[in-house]
Amino acid sequence: MSETTADALVVGGGLGGVAAALALLRAGRTVVLTEEYDWLGGQLTSQAVPPDEHSWVERFGVTASYRALRDGIRRYYRDHYPLTERSRAWRELNPGAGHVSRLCHEPRVAVAVIEAMLAPYRGSGRLRVLQPYRPVAAEVDGDRVTSVTVEHRDGGGRITVTAPYVLDATETGELLPMTGTEYVTGFESQAETGEPSAPAEAQPLNMQAVSVCFAIDHVDGDHTVDRPASYGFWREYQPPFWGDRLLSWRCPHPRTLEIVERSFTPNPDDDPLSVVADQRLSPGDANLWTFRRIAARRNFVPGAYDSDITLVNWPMIDYLEGPVIDVPDAGRHLAAARELSLSVLYWLQTEAPRPDGGTGFPGLRLRGDVTGGADGLAQAAYIRESRRIRALYTVVEQDLSLAVRGDKGAVRYADSVGVGMYRIDLHPSTGGDNYIDVGCSPFEIPLGALIPRRMTNLLPAGKNIGTTHITNGAYRLHPVEWNIGEAAGALAAFCLDRGTTPHAVREGDALLDDFQRRLTDDGVELRWPQVAGY
């Protein structure tokens, strides 16, 4: 087993981990960054989820480095893809013309841009990326993590990393149990949080469904996959609140819970520039093909794309049979979630009702080359909910909810380290809950939510901050995760520079002012402007 050292160790190379590493590197620090999958970028790349963002994203409400990522994706398309002149001139280019986001794109493009952002630091030797490595053990001395051991995913040995600061940017908060850091999972009780949507008793294993996404196009020929072994089970599967079988076009509306019917029309001859993406439910959600489309063929010169490419992250792939955190059969559930997605694909190809009255779309072709997964699906499951630290401050529903707060404008915290905006949007859960949807004010990210109550040098850098099961539904999206990671990385660098601790930064007015000034100098927005229409 080999050993290495750095100023900071960032475990997990998702959006939060990449942003944390970049913040540390910009501050002149050395970093070891680990990632267990083949691509950096997490939910944007290996999980293949187009960015969910608020409706003001093109103007404000994200960090400068996140905007650089978005700009880089658009520039990559203009530099390397055969766009039509009309699309090339589109200032707010949406390559997929998907309705879920103003920037739907192929995952590999984000990988290329992220690698370009990190490349100078790799070249200088200040960044070492260990990939594919996953954490397997940690050493702790009192309230400090002294080292973390990571293991090569494919049997390439172990490396122990020692660093003054350790950032947990894993998708499920893997370092929290390894280090004995206090954390919570699932639903907290209403008695603990006072949240209107919380249950009377805590439900630690009741977590949002995970989903295994996949990309498809529609071309001539029969591209039907082999019938999955569990297809019979999933074909008859019907959650009690679903209104039909899971494998159908019918499902609950996430806002009203009314049973609604989606449509599915491959390759509609639509104009990509006519798309109006909104973080609120848009008309594009009605046609599942265009909702998360990541390549619109009419954005490219004729003949470049035989078909649109769409990303399947639809209600029917939400896996409800069990959680994948703190259970002995997590691996079985992850495997079953992949089988569910393959079963959905098989249903689409063979039995799904068509608008013309027929059944099945055999021309649907699985595009594993787009997602990079060995089985044709995304490399990693989309994890909506992580272990979450017991933090100095926990964001609760009352902080965000329009129904509770009324029209008071954006949520403000004295120790803000960033901003975000998204409704509380909880998918159906492993405990049998239907969607939970709560309208929110634009919000800030409190520094107190990034600091564990006890541990002094371990920082969360993703969905493992001090939110609840409910408020995680607003804080789990792409730009917020990036902002959280960037703030955590900047905090570690600031503490190293000043010889102080995260707890002291939050508790000291002068230190907090200096840290917030550093964030704003780096392009992190700490306050929302006056906005309307949320």
PDB file of all heavy atoms in Angstrom, residues 36 83 135 160 316 358 360 372 446 450-451 458 469 526:
ATOM      1  N   GLU A  36     -14.541   7.352  -8.050  1.00  0.00           N
ATOM      2  CA  GLU A  36     -14.658   5.915  -8.293  1.00  0.00           C
ATOM      3  C   GLU A  36     -15.152   5.555  -9.684  1.00  0.00           C
ATOM      4  O   GLU A  36     -15.010   4.406 -10.108  1.00  0.00           O
ATOM      5  CB  GLU A  36     -15.542   5.254  -7.240  1.00  0.00           C
ATOM      6  CG  GLU A  36     -17.012   5.591  -7.305  1.00  0.00           C
ATOM      7  CD  GLU A  36     -17.821   4.737  -6.338  1.00  0.00           C
ATOM      8  OE1 GLU A  36     -17.896   3.525  -6.559  1.00  0.00           O
ATOM      9  OE2 GLU A  36     -18.359   5.309  -5.367  1.00  0.00           O
ATOM     10  N   LEU A  83     -22.721  22.504 -35.784  1.00  0.00           N
ATOM     11  CA  LEU A  83     -23.955  23.247 -35.545  1.00  0.00           C
ATOM     12  C   LEU A  83     -24.393  23.965 -36.816  1.00  0.00           C
ATOM     13  O   LEU A  83     -23.568  24.349 -37.652  1.00  0.00           O
ATOM     14  CB  LEU A  83     -23.738  24.284 -34.441  1.00  0.00           C
ATOM     15  CG  LEU A  83     -23.392  23.767 -33.040  1.00  0.00           C
ATOM     16  CD1 LEU A  83     -22.955  24.932 -32.162  1.00  0.00           C
ATOM     17  CD2 LEU A  83     -24.573  23.049 -32.419  1.00  0.00           C
ATOM     18  N   PRO A 135     -13.224   5.243  -1.334  1.00  0.00           N
ATOM     19  CA  PRO A 135     -12.731   5.191   0.047  1.00  0.00           C
ATOM     20  C   PRO A 135     -13.127   3.882   0.717  1.00  0.00           C
ATOM     21  O   PRO A 135     -14.245   3.391   0.533  1.00  0.00           O
ATOM     22  CB  PRO A 135     -13.416   6.384   0.714  1.00  0.00           C
ATOM     23  CG  PRO A 135     -14.684   6.567  -0.070  1.00  0.00           C
ATOM     24  CD  PRO A 135     -14.337   6.201  -1.487  1.00  0.00           C
ATOM     25  N   THR A 160      -3.036   5.389   0.841  1.00  0.00           N
ATOM     26  CA  THR A 160      -3.440   6.147   2.026  1.00  0.00           C
ATOM     27  C   THR A 160      -3.034   7.602   1.839  1.00  0.00           C
ATOM     28  O   THR A 160      -1.874   7.900   1.526  1.00  0.00           O
ATOM     29  CB  THR A 160      -2.797   5.582   3.293  1.00  0.00           C
ATOM     30  OG1 THR A 160      -3.302   4.259   3.516  1.00  0.00           O
ATOM     31  CG2 THR A 160      -3.135   6.433   4.510  1.00  0.00           C
ATOM     32  N   MET A 316     -40.956   6.588 -14.223  1.00  0.00           N
ATOM     33  CA  MET A 316     -41.033   5.126 -14.219  1.00  0.00           C
ATOM     34  C   MET A 316     -39.705   4.445 -13.917  1.00  0.00           C
ATOM     35  O   MET A 316     -39.679   3.231 -13.680  1.00  0.00           O
ATOM     36  CB  MET A 316     -41.595   4.623 -15.544  1.00  0.00           C
ATOM     37  CG  MET A 316     -40.735   4.939 -16.741  1.00  0.00           C
ATOM     38  SD  MET A 316     -41.497   4.409 -18.304  1.00  0.00           S
ATOM     39  CE  MET A 316     -42.836   5.576 -18.491  1.00  0.00           C
ATOM     40  N   GLY A 358     -50.712   1.628 -32.106  1.00  0.00           N
ATOM     41  CA  GLY A 358     -49.891   0.424 -32.018  1.00  0.00           C
ATOM     42  C   GLY A 358     -49.147   0.350 -30.689  1.00  0.00           C
ATOM     43  O   GLY A 358     -49.380   1.145 -29.778  1.00  0.00           O
ATOM     44  N   GLY A 360     -45.161  -0.422 -28.887  1.00  0.00           N
ATOM     45  CA  GLY A 360     -43.731  -0.635 -28.993  1.00  0.00           C
ATOM     46  C   GLY A 360     -43.036   0.259 -30.004  1.00  0.00           C
ATOM     47  O   GLY A 360     -43.599   0.590 -31.056  1.00  0.00           O
ATOM     48  N   GLY A 372     -21.489   6.061 -21.392  1.00  0.00           N
ATOM     49  CA  GLY A 372     -20.258   5.442 -20.919  1.00  0.00           C
ATOM     50  C   GLY A 372     -20.431   4.242 -20.025  1.00  0.00           C
ATOM     51  O   GLY A 372     -19.442   3.741 -19.471  1.00  0.00           O
ATOM     52  N   PRO A 446     -26.151  28.587   4.167  1.00  0.00           N
ATOM     53  CA  PRO A 446     -25.497  29.043   5.393  1.00  0.00           C
ATOM     54  C   PRO A 446     -24.215  28.265   5.671  1.00  0.00           C
ATOM     55  O   PRO A 446     -24.168  27.037   5.522  1.00  0.00           O
ATOM     56  CB  PRO A 446     -26.552  28.769   6.466  1.00  0.00           C
ATOM     57  CG  PRO A 446     -27.366  27.646   5.932  1.00  0.00           C
ATOM     58  CD  PRO A 446     -27.360  27.798   4.436  1.00  0.00           C
ATOM     59  N   LEU A 450     -22.414  23.718   6.609  1.00  0.00           N
ATOM     60  CA  LEU A 450     -21.236  23.044   6.067  1.00  0.00           C
ATOM     61  C   LEU A 450     -20.252  22.618   7.152  1.00  0.00           C
ATOM     62  O   LEU A 450     -19.184  22.083   6.844  1.00  0.00           O
ATOM     63  CB  LEU A 450     -20.502  23.958   5.079  1.00  0.00           C
ATOM     64  CG  LEU A 450     -20.978  23.938   3.624  1.00  0.00           C
ATOM     65  CD1 LEU A 450     -22.393  24.477   3.494  1.00  0.00           C
ATOM     66  CD2 LEU A 450     -20.028  24.731   2.741  1.00  0.00           C
ATOM     67  N   ILE A 451     -20.602  22.840   8.422  1.00  0.00           N
ATOM     68  CA  ILE A 451     -19.650  22.553   9.496  1.00  0.00           C
ATOM     69  C   ILE A 451     -20.247  21.516  10.440  1.00  0.00           C
ATOM     70  O   ILE A 451     -21.292  21.751  11.058  1.00  0.00           O
ATOM     71  CB  ILE A 451     -19.306  23.836  10.277  1.00  0.00           C
ATOM     72  CG1 ILE A 451     -18.746  24.902   9.331  1.00  0.00           C
ATOM     73  CG2 ILE A 451     -18.302  23.524  11.383  1.00  0.00           C
ATOM     74  CD1 ILE A 451     -18.456  26.229  10.000  1.00  0.00           C
ATOM     75  N   LEU A 458     -13.057  17.863   8.879  1.00  0.00           N
ATOM     76  CA  LEU A 458     -13.835  17.172   7.861  1.00  0.00           C
ATOM     77  C   LEU A 458     -14.972  18.086   7.426  1.00  0.00           C
ATOM     78  O   LEU A 458     -15.745  18.568   8.267  1.00  0.00           O
ATOM     79  CB  LEU A 458     -14.410  15.858   8.401  1.00  0.00           C
ATOM     80  CG  LEU A 458     -15.336  15.106   7.442  1.00  0.00           C
ATOM     81  CD1 LEU A 458     -14.529  14.499   6.295  1.00  0.00           C
ATOM     82  CD2 LEU A 458     -16.108  14.018   8.175  1.00  0.00           C
ATOM     83  N   HIS A 469     -34.238  15.790   5.245  1.00  0.00           N
ATOM     84  CA  HIS A 469     -34.771  15.013   4.123  1.00  0.00           C
ATOM     85  C   HIS A 469     -35.591  15.923   3.213  1.00  0.00           C
ATOM     86  O   HIS A 469     -35.516  15.814   1.976  1.00  0.00           O
ATOM     87  CB  HIS A 469     -35.653  13.887   4.671  1.00  0.00           C
ATOM     88  CG  HIS A 469     -36.464  13.165   3.647  1.00  0.00           C
ATOM     89  ND1 HIS A 469     -35.964  12.131   2.888  1.00  0.00           N
ATOM     90  CD2 HIS A 469     -37.760  13.317   3.249  1.00  0.00           C
ATOM     91  CE1 HIS A 469     -36.908  11.677   2.073  1.00  0.00           C
ATOM     92  NE2 HIS A 469     -38.005  12.377   2.276  1.00  0.00           N
ATOM     93  N   LEU A 526     -23.374  35.961  -2.734  1.00  0.00           N
ATOM     94  CA  LEU A 526     -23.832  35.653  -1.376  1.00  0.00           C
ATOM     95  C   LEU A 526     -25.258  36.092  -1.113  1.00  0.00           C
ATOM     96  O   LEU A 526     -25.885  35.626  -0.147  1.00  0.00           O
ATOM     97  CB  LEU A 526     -22.906  36.323  -0.343  1.00  0.00           C
ATOM     98  CG  LEU A 526     -21.422  35.991  -0.436  1.00  0.00           C
ATOM     99  CD1 LEU A 526     -20.679  36.641   0.736  1.00  0.00           C
ATOM    100  CD2 LEU A 526     -21.184  34.490  -0.454  1.00  0.00           C
TER     101      LEU A 526
END
